Amino acid sequence: MEAHLSVQSLKGSLVIGGVGILLAGHCTLEALNAIKHADIVFSVMGDELMQQWLEDLNPNTESLQYLYKTSHSRPEAYRAMVDKILAAVRQGLHVCVVFYGHPGVFVTPSHAAIKLARAEGYEALMLPGVSAEDCLTADLGVDPGRFGCQSYEAHHFVTTMPAIETRAALILWQIAVVGDASFTRFDACPEALETLSSVLQAHYPADHLVTVYAAATLPTMAPEIEVVKLADLAGVSVSQASTLYVPPLRKQGRPERAEPF
Ligand SMILES: C[S@@+](CC[C@H](N)C(=O)[O-])C[C@H]1O[C@@H](n2cnc3c(N)ncnc32)[C@H](O)[C@@H]1O
């Protein structure tokens, strides 16, 4: 398995990797290595082509995606994933679990599995991957270091209303499921963007231009970039892959920060 894990012992081990957003193109060499050499690979992909590509790399790959369908809520699905992963580690297998994007960015079961495996005395490691935010930075041409950048899960943002710095950028994830307090929805809520738009209008003017973004997942695709006024956000069609970018609010006459990095 991966070089970071000190021993190819009889004891099980866990590596959690991410394959990025773009099929095959974003997978790091260390993640590729971990996938190829694992006794078993568990995957949470949601994309058939990505799943097929993984199975070609390691035929002993099992998708855990079905747990979203057999569970009553997302938290229940996450618990079931952790149970499956840990059961294999306890059997003495070198387990690799693969998520799309970065496996530690807005992914509950990856952190939970690592924590539990370590608590039980197994070696467990997370490998970084290319996240949707990394793609957004590149595709929208925005530097999170220029004015600062805040990042929230959209439902959490709407329900907890954290203090935000409007002079810095704001990225909201999972905008399709805002308003799902029961955590039982796996598809887009039609009323989600209406709620989000009104919450954001407490901080930004109605004509502030925001971007609904979806990175390309195939080399033949282009990223989806839709720029709309905040007041018109509810009219945009979104999917599970949509992320909202809210640019910094520029105060009238306030100069842009001059120093380049
Ligand atoms: C559960 S999070 C997983 C994030 C993933 N671990 C990552 O590193 O990007 C799911 C959210 O990621 C964002 N996302 C996933 N795929 C995306 C894509 N192709 N383009 C833009 N954002 C995406 C969306 O906000 C989506 O609701």
Side-chain angles (χ1 to χ4, degrees):
M1 194 173 231
E2 182 51 35
H4 296 64
L5 295 178
S6 57
V7 274
Q8 272 284 6
S9 69
L10 293 175
K11 203 170 177 189
S13 66
L14 175 62
V15 173
I16 304 230
V19 289
I21 302 293
L22 186 76
L23 176 67
H26 286 174
C27 187
T28 63
L29 287 177
E30 63 176 353
L32 200 63
N33 211 24
I35 293 163
K36 283 183 178 169
H37 296 106
D39 294 328
I40 185 163
V41 176
F42 290 119
S43 62
V44 187
M45 289 291 121
D47 179 290
E48 268 306 308
L49 289 173
M50 197 77 111
Q51 180 62 28
Q52 191 52 58
W53 174 74
L54 273 179
E55 288 171 19
D56 290 345
L57 288 174
N58 188 328
N60 201 19
T61 294
E62 184 182 330
S63 172
L64 298 185
Q65 192 67 23
Y66 73 94
L67 291 170
Y68 283 120
K69 292 215 171 83
T70 55
S71 304
H72 294 105
S73 66
R74 276 182 280 150
E76 189 184 313
Y78 300 153
R79 280 193 293 276
M81 286 174 194
V82 174
D83 287 348
K84 287 278 291 184
I85 295 164
L86 263 293
V89 173
R90 290 178 195 123
Q91 275 175 31
L93 298 176
H94 296 292
V95 178
C96 180
V97 186
V98 183
F99 294 85
Y100 74 87
H102 185 304
V105 174
F106 292 87
V107 182
T108 304
S110 59
H111 291 288
I114 291 223
K115 204 170 159 188
L116 187 54
R118 286 182 181 159
E120 293 186 13
Y122 298 101
E123 287 195 77
L125 177 72
M126 181 181 284
L127 308 176
V130 176
S131 73
E133 183 172 348
D134 295 321
C135 300
L136 181 151
T137 301
D139 286 333
L140 302 191
V142 293
D143 185 338
R146 189 156 171 77
F147 299 105
C149 185
Q150 304 146 103
S151 191
Y152 288 98
E153 197 279 329
H155 181 73
H156 173 82
F157 179 79
V158 164
T159 50
T160 62
M161 304 263 222
I164 55 163
E165 171 55 84
T166 56
R167 292 169 301 177
L170 173 66
I171 296 176
L172 295 176
W173 302 66
Q174 304 200 139
I175 57 173
V177 290
V178 173
D180 174 25
S182 63
F183 298 106
T184 52
R185 293 194 71 131
F186 299 103
D187 54 349
C189 308
E191 59 292 346
L193 295 184
E194 194 76 64
T195 312
L196 192 54
S197 171
S198 40
V199 169
L200 285 169
Q201 284 182 63
H203 302 277
Y204 301 88
D207 63 354
H208 191 54
L209 292 177
V210 298
T211 303
V212 177
Y213 169 74
T217 53
L218 292 174
T220 48
M221 283 169 64
E224 291 170 24
I225 299 171
E226 188 158 357
V227 181
V228 287
K229 289 180 182 161
L230 195 47
D232 298 332
L233 183 60
V236 178
S237 127
V238 295
S239 72
Q240 289 290 337
S242 302
T243 297
L244 186 70
Y245 176 74
V246 183
L249 196 54
R250 312 298 312 144
K251 294 259 170 11
Q252 279 284 314
R254 191 168 176 272
E256 287 222 340
R257 181 173 156 166
E259 332 80 66
F261 298 109

